[in-house]
Amino acid sequence: MAQHHHGSTSGRPLDTLAYLLLLAGPALLLVRRQWPVQVCAGTAAVAGAYLLLRYPYGPIVVSVVVGYVTAVMAGRRRAAWISLGTLYVAHVIVNSVTHALSWPVELGLLAWLLLVAAGAELARTRGEQRRQWRLAREEREARIADEQRLAIARELHDVLAHSISLINVQAGVALELIDDDPEQARTALRTIKDTSKDALGEVRQVLGSLRTGAPAAATNVSAAPSGTPAGPAAPRSPAPDLGRLDELVRQAAAAGLTVTVRREGAQRTPPPGVGLAAFRIVQEGLTNVLRHSSARTAEVTLDQSAADRLLLTLEDPGPVSAAGGARAGGSGAGLVGMRERAAALGGFVEAGPTASGGFRVHAELPLHAQDMTRDEGRR
C-alpha cells in the first residue's frame, strides 16, 4: 500500500507526517464509546488535514466512517452531520483554491458520503427498534409476573382465610365441649385435621406453581398423606369449581353455618376460569359470614338462565356480630380479590350491606370469558 501511494502521481508522496495522520485516526477510535462527538470531529479533522496536504486517498477515510457511525448510533446525529459536512465542504474549497477541482470526483465523493450517512441512519433505526422491542418485552414480562403474583396472592388469601376461619370456629367448639361432650369435641378436632390437610394441599399447589412457572390456578395438588414430603411430583387434581360447592356447604355446616343453595336455569358446567372464580367468590363470601356476621344461615343463588353469563348471589340476614368488622381481623383483601377475579373475566362484583342489616354479594361472570391467568402463563 505504501509503494502504491509513493508511486501515485495524483498527490504528495507519503512521508512521516502522513503516517502519523494515518495512525491518528485509528488511535482516536479507541475512545469512541466514551466521547463519540469528539472522536467524530477529531477523525474528520485528521482526514481534512491529510487531504489538505494533498496526500493520496486511502484508508484515512475508514476512521471518518467509523467515527461518524459511532456518533450517529450514540444519538449525536447533528454533530455527526456537521463534522462530515464540514469535511466535504473544506475538501471542495481547498480543491477550488488549488485549481484541482473535478466535479465528477466531487460528486462521486458526495454520493459516497450520502451512502455512508444512509447506512448509519439505517443501523441507528434498527438499533432503536431492537431497543424498543426489548423494552416492550421486558414490560410485558414484568406485567405478566405482576399478574401472576397477584393471582397467587389471591389464591393464598382465599385458601388460608377460609380454612383458618373454619379451624378457629372448630377450635372454639372443641375447647367448649372437651369436658362436657368429648365425642363432639373429637368431631370438631377431626374437622380441624381435615380442613388443615386440605388447606396444606392447596397451599402446596400454589407454592409449587412458583417453582414450575405454571399459573397458580391451573391445577390443584391433592392433599398428601400426613408425613409425606411435598415435591414437584405431588399428585394433581383439577382446579376447584362449582362441582365442589357441596364441599363448601359441608365445611360451613361443620362450623355452624347452614347454607342453602338455589339453582336457577339450565345448569351447565362453566369454563374452568369462570368455575374457579365462582368457587372462590362463594368461598370468600362464606368465610366473611363466619368471621363478621352473627347469622347462622346464608343463601347462595346460582342463576344460569342467561346463555352468556352466570349470576351468583350470596346473602346472609346479619346482623354484624359483636366480634365482626375491624375486630375480626379483616383487611378487605377478600372483597378486592373477588372484584379482581371477576374483572379479569370481563365481569363484576357488587358487595354491600342490605336494608335488613345483612350483607349481600352479587357477581356476574360471562360464560364466554377466557381463563386469562392460563392464557398469560402460555406466553
Side-chain angles (χ1 to χ4, degrees):
M1 178 65 73
Q3 291 177 353
H4 170 76
H5 287 310
H6 278 294
S8 174
T9 59
S10 61
R12 178 177 172 180
L14 294 179
D15 53 21
T16 301
L17 179 58
Y19 286 114
L20 290 176
L21 292 173
L22 288 171
L23 293 174
L28 288 172
L29 296 178
L30 296 177
V31 293
R32 67 185 184 279
R33 302 297 182 187
Q34 293 87 341
W35 300 295
V37 174
Q38 292 85 340
V39 169
C40 180
T43 53
V46 169
Y50 180 91
L51 297 176
L52 178 63
L53 295 173
R54 299 196 53 77
Y55 291 116
Y57 294 106
I60 190 68
V61 296
V62 175
S63 299
V64 177
V65 172
V66 175
Y68 174 82
V69 172
T70 300
V72 171
M73 295 296 292
R76 311 305 295 269
R77 300 162 65 197
R78 178 177 297 180
W81 293 341
I82 291 174
S83 297
L84 199 64
T86 301
L87 174 62
Y88 178 74
V89 170
H91 180 264
V92 172
I93 292 175
V94 169
N95 283 343
S96 298
V97 172
T98 59
H99 306 289
L101 184 65
S102 173
W103 282 114
V105 173
E106 301 302 334
L107 292 177
L109 178 60
L110 177 61
W112 182 81
L113 293 178
L114 292 176
L115 182 62
V116 170
E121 289 297 320
L122 179 61
R124 183 194 64 83
T125 301
R126 290 186 175 179
E128 287 292 333
Q129 290 177 343
R130 285 194 295 269
R131 281 192 290 271
Q132 291 174 1
W133 290 337
R134 184 174 63 254
L135 290 175
R137 183 176 66 252
E138 291 174 353
E139 291 176 359
R140 183 173 64 253
E141 290 174 351
R143 175 176 55 81
I144 292 173
D146 287 341
E147 291 173 355
Q148 291 178 339
R149 177 179 56 80
L150 289 175
I152 290 172
R154 284 196 299 266
E155 288 295 308
L156 287 174
H157 173 274
D158 292 346
V159 171
L160 295 177
H162 179 72
S163 301
I164 292 175
S165 294
L166 292 177
I167 290 172
N168 180 65
V169 171
Q170 292 301 316
V173 171
L175 288 173
E176 290 288 335
L177 301 177
I178 193 168
D179 294 325
D180 300 333
D181 192 346
E183 186 61 33
Q184 188 65 28
R186 186 177 295 108
T187 300
L189 291 174
R190 187 178 298 112
T191 301
I192 290 175
K193 178 183 177 181
D194 293 340
T195 302
S196 60
K197 179 180 177 181
D198 293 339
L200 285 173
E202 292 199 51
V203 170
R204 186 181 300 116
Q205 179 266 323
V206 174
L207 296 180
S209 68
L210 294 176
R211 292 191 298 267
T212 62
T219 55
N220 181 39
V221 176
S222 300
S226 178
T228 300
R236 293 175 179 269
S237 62
D241 58 17
L242 291 178
R244 291 177 55 184
L245 188 57
D246 291 341
E247 178 183 326
L248 291 180
V249 173
R250 289 194 300 271
Q251 291 176 347
L257 178 65
T258 301
V259 180
T260 302
V261 178
R262 292 197 304 113
R263 302 177 186 270
E264 300 178 0
Q267 297 303 305
R268 301 178 299 275
T269 301
V274 177
L276 173 63
F279 178 88
R280 292 304 190 196
I281 289 172
V282 174
Q283 184 183 55
E284 179 61 26
L286 294 178
T287 301
N288 287 340
V289 175
L290 290 171
R291 296 179 65 182
H292 302 288
S293 177
S294 61
R296 296 297 89 195
T297 62
E299 182 177 83
V300 176
T301 302
L302 297 176
D303 185 355
Q304 289 184 281
S305 302
D308 61 342
R309 64 185 181 274
L310 167 66
L311 302 180
L312 189 157
T313 304
L314 189 152
E315 186 172 351
D316 72 272
V320 175
S321 68
R327 285 175 292 176
S331 63
L335 293 177
V336 173
M338 289 182 185
R339 295 188 176 99
E340 288 177 347
R341 288 183 184 277
L345 298 169
F348 64 88
V349 168
E350 296 175 341
T354 62
S356 61
F359 199 83
R360 180 176 182 270
V361 175
H362 176 74
E364 180 172 323
L365 305 175
L367 292 175
H368 57 77
Q370 297 292 323
D371 187 344
M372 297 177 68
T373 302
R374 180 182 59 193
D375 290 345
E376 291 290 358
R378 286 201 189 108
R379 296 182 184 176

